[in-house]
Each structure stands twice: as C-alpha cells, then as structure tokens.
C-alpha cells in the first residue's frame, strides 16, 4: 500500500533501512524493474516456480483491497484472529 501511495519515497525508505545509498534515479529504475506488470510478463514467458498447482498464475490483480472480493467472511475472520497483533501494530485493526 505504501508503495502504491508513494513508490519513490517508500523505495528510498527501504534503501535506507538496508543501509544502501541510492539516488532517486536508481530507485525509480529499481521500481520499474520490479513492477507487477513486468513480473506478470516474465511469468507468462518463463513461468514462475512458486505458483500453486491450484492457481492459473502466481501474480494476481495487485489491487489494494482486492482481497475483499476473493476471501470469504470465514477466511477473513480466521486471518484476523491469527494475525491480530501484527495487524494492530501496522494499523489494520
């Protein structure tokens, strides 16, 4: 979500966390190379080893909140119960 809201700023924060000094240009280039669309193209061309045998592809829609259309109420409740402390920590309560 942060990457969607502010890709370059979030990329800069990640680089700082990793103690990497990178220019805005470097961060923009890294973001282009790591884009969801680029990953989808690569998956179509070469496959992707992590794809589930139960799914047509690994990389999905990539939309914020897309889980609301995919998960049942029971699945959401199960995830919420299992991950409540972490969700609260990151402001998802």
């Amino acid at each position: 979500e942060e990457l969607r809201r502010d890709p370059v700023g979030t990329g800069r924060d990640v680089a700082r966390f990793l103690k990497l000094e990178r220019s805005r240009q470097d961060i923009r280039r890294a973001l282009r190379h790591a884009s969801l669309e680029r990953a989808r193209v690569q998956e179509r061309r070469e496959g992707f080893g992590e794809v589930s045998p139960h799914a047509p592809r690994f990389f999905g829609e990539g939309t914020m909140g897309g889980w609301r259309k995919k998960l049942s109420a029971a699945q959401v409740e199960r995830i919420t119960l299992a991950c409540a402390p972490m969700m609260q920590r990151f402001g998802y309560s």
Side-chain angles (χ1 to χ4, degrees):
E1 292 169 345
E2 294 299 317
L3 275 169
R4 293 284 181 151
R5 279 192 276 273
D6 181 12
V8 176
T10 303
R12 186 179 52 241
D13 292 345
V14 169
R16 283 184 188 145
F17 176 80
L18 296 172
K19 297 182 181 3
L20 301 171
E21 292 298 322
R22 295 295 185 258
S23 69
R24 290 178 75 80
Q25 181 179 358
D26 288 342
I27 292 168
R28 284 190 180 100
R29 184 173 40 246
L31 290 167
R32 278 194 309 274
H33 286 286
S35 74
L36 182 58
E37 184 53 40
R38 193 170 185 136
R40 285 187 189 130
V41 168
Q42 186 174 350
E43 181 180 21
R44 280 193 297 270
R45 284 189 199 152
E46 302 169 23
F48 191 77
E50 299 297 322
V51 68
S52 167
H54 306 289
R57 63 186 195 279
F58 182 82
F59 295 102
E61 300 300 317
T63 56
M64 288 176 31
W67 58 271
R68 288 180 175 92
K69 293 187 279 184
K70 301 279 184 181
L71 301 178
S72 69
Q75 289 170 316
V76 172
E77 182 178 0
R78 185 172 175 194
I79 291 168
T80 301
L81 289 172
C83 302
M86 188 65 67
M87 292 173 74
Q88 289 172 351
R89 179 178 173 198
F90 289 102
Y92 290 102
S93 54

